[in-house]
Amino acid sequence: MYKLILGLAGVCLLVALALMVSGNLPMAGPFLIAFFLSVAIGFRGYPNLKGFSYTVVIFAAVTTALYYPQYFVSAGDFKFSTLITPLIQLIMFGMGTSMSFDDFVGVIRMPKGVLIGVVSHFIIMPSIGYFLASISGLPPEIAAGIILIGCSPNGMASNVISYLAKANLALSITITAVSTMMAPFITPVLMKLLAGAFVEIDTVDMMIDIAKMVIIPIGAGLLFNKFLSGRAAWLDNLMPFVSMFGIAFIIVIITAAGRDSLLTIGPLLLGLVLIHNLSGYFLGYWSGRLFGMNERDCRTMAIEVGMQNGGLASGIAKEMGKMATVGLAPAIFGPLMNITGSILASWWHSRMPKEEREAVQEMEYRRH
């Protein structure tokens, strides 16, 4: 059945391309949407591709928002943008329920790794973001979005990718927890320093906004996990799906709001965001090597530096009142990093870390 669905996806893509080439771009929309949805369903039948299904659904949602933006801006007098902050809070609550207070104790157990990871994250990504924004030639507010995604903390997706990449999962979780809780204080200061020339930044207001979106919901999630985890199994099972839906809906709202800008500068912005993401992986890995960390920890550094909390960055853009401009780079970064992160994880998953490989070889040598 899955092969048949993927075959249908191929037919939809061919029809869409034919319509686009013939100049009937508006008519190609439904076929492109059907293509992405079919691919997402088809991937579910293959273990190696199953992890990409959610990202492909995001592409279907973004395509829908680009072709039919009027349905995702407002319903009557109600503007969908007002849902962004509550959705971010819900996602952060879900993040809190998957964490525990032991994650912060990890700072004591692995102080060197956590310090290098957090400092590298908040130096490398903001610096690359500022450089790319400065040379981009994009309108100032859109360029500021590249800096914003660089100044944001790690996302929970980095923990999943670290697990798949055979990296140090405990270290990954602790770095994510620490950087997220530090975000209300560090992100506004970095934005003021680096993005102040692009867009007006009110540091205190941004601190308050991020605290509302991060500290309170994550704190509530931590308490829920400590006292109620397992007692409400339906909620434990539901939260990951709620988080995925929330992120998808936020991206759709921002895409619809910034449609005109995206159609103009989309390819350039996509290229810059990709460079930002890949540079984070590369420099993060070598920051670990620079301080003599082992292979598993270096993989963790790469993933923790390169992957950002795009949802939180989108929420900050909305609170700034610049969702359709500053929010564009975060909206692109989220789905893109899931693709690149999954590819990186697959590549590393099939390669045993150097230290473990040498240990296995040593054991085999002694055995013979």
Side-chain angles (χ1 to χ4, degrees), residues 146-198:
I146 302 175
I147 300 175
L148 174 59
I149 192 65
C151 296
S152 298
N154 317 87
M156 282 298 286
S158 64
N159 304 152
V160 178
I161 297 301
S162 291
Y163 170 74
L164 295 174
K166 294 183 178 178
N168 187 334
L169 180 59
L171 178 60
S172 172
I173 291 171
T174 303
I175 292 173
T176 298
V178 172
S179 71
T180 300
M181 299 305 281
M182 291 176 67
F185 313 101
I186 294 182
T187 298
V189 173
L190 288 173
M191 282 295 289
K192 184 69 175 179
L193 290 173
L194 301 177
F198 293 85

Side-chain angles (χ1 to χ4, degrees), residues 9-83:
V11 172
C12 289
L13 180 61
L14 289 174
V15 173
L17 291 174
L19 289 169
M20 292 166 70
V21 170
S22 64
N24 293 316
L25 189 60
M27 293 182 64
F31 292 98
L32 282 175
I33 297 166
F35 162 71
F36 285 123
L37 289 175
S38 299
V39 168
I41 296 170
F43 278 3
R44 302 290 296 175
Y46 299 88
N48 293 335
L49 298 174
K50 190 175 181 180
F52 292 100
S53 292
Y54 175 66
T55 302
V56 179
V57 169
I58 296 288
F59 285 133
V62 167
T63 304
T64 305
L66 286 172
Y67 271 94
Y68 310 104
Q70 66 274 19
Y71 298 113
F72 302 100
V73 174
S74 62
D77 295 330
F78 179 77
K79 292 186 176 181
F80 290 128
S81 60
T82 58
L83 296 173

Side-chain angles (χ1 to χ4, degrees), residues 68-350:
Y68 310 104
Q70 66 274 19
Y71 298 113
F72 302 100
V73 174
S74 62
D77 295 330
F78 179 77
K79 292 186 176 181
F80 290 128
S81 60
T82 58
L83 296 173
I84 289 181
T85 299
L87 284 171
I88 293 296
Q89 291 171 325
L90 189 60
I91 292 166
M92 290 296 107
F93 172 77
M95 181 176 178
T97 62
S98 64
M99 295 163 57
S100 71
F101 291 100
D102 289 341
D103 296 334
F104 298 94
V105 177
V107 177
I108 301 172
R109 292 197 297 264
M110 301 172 287
K112 176 185 174 182
V114 174
L115 179 63
I116 294 171
V118 173
V119 172
S120 296
H121 180 88
F122 281 120
I123 289 178
I124 291 172
M125 292 305 276
S127 300
I128 299 172
Y130 176 75
F131 173 74
L132 293 174
S134 299
I135 66 171
S136 67
L138 293 170
E141 288 190 1
I142 295 177
I146 302 175
I147 300 175
L148 174 59
I149 192 65
C151 296
S152 298
N154 317 87
M156 282 298 286
S158 64
N159 304 152
V160 178
I161 297 301
S162 291
Y163 170 74
L164 295 174
K166 294 183 178 178
N168 187 334
L169 180 59
L171 178 60
S172 172
I173 291 171
T174 303
I175 292 173
T176 298
V178 172
S179 71
T180 300
M181 299 305 281
M182 291 176 67
F185 313 101
I186 294 182
T187 298
V189 173
L190 288 173
M191 282 295 289
K192 184 69 175 179
L193 290 173
L194 301 177
F198 293 85
V199 64
E200 185 178 348
I201 303 293
D202 189 317
T203 308
V204 176
D205 280 354
M206 187 176 288
M207 284 183 178
I208 295 170
D209 290 336
I210 299 176
K212 287 190 299 185
M213 288 186 285
V214 172
I215 302 293
I216 296 173
I218 285 185
L222 283 167
L223 292 173
F224 177 90
N225 187 32
K226 183 173 180 61
F227 297 108
L228 297 173
S229 181
R231 299 181 185 178
W234 64 271
L235 186 59
D236 294 335
N237 296 329
L238 182 64
M239 284 312 301
F241 294 101
V242 171
S243 297
M244 288 190 291
F245 170 79
I247 292 169
F249 195 54
I250 289 167
I251 292 172
V252 167
I253 294 170
I254 294 172
T255 301
R259 176 183 181 271
D260 294 340
S261 296
L262 273 176
L263 292 177
T264 304
I265 50 86
L268 173 60
L269 186 59
L270 178 65
L272 291 170
V273 166
L274 180 61
I275 292 170
H276 197 179
N277 176 224
L278 297 181
S279 299
Y281 294 143
F282 179 80
L283 295 177
Y285 181 89
W286 286 102
S287 69
R289 281 289 180 215
L290 180 66
F291 289 98
M293 302 180 81
N294 63 39
E295 173 67 15
R296 291 182 72 228
D297 288 352
C298 286
R299 292 182 182 188
T300 305
M301 292 299 112
I303 294 163
E304 288 300 312
V305 171
M307 300 190 76
Q308 308 290 92
N309 193 328
L312 178 60
S314 299
I316 296 170
K318 188 267 173 184
E319 292 298 319
M320 291 171 65
K322 302 183 185 298
M323 180 185 69
T325 51
V326 178
L328 290 180
I332 293 175
F333 194 100
L336 192 65
M337 76 172 186
N338 286 325
I339 295 174
T340 58
S342 297
I343 293 171
L344 183 61
S346 297
W347 189 72
W348 267 333
H349 184 79
S350 62

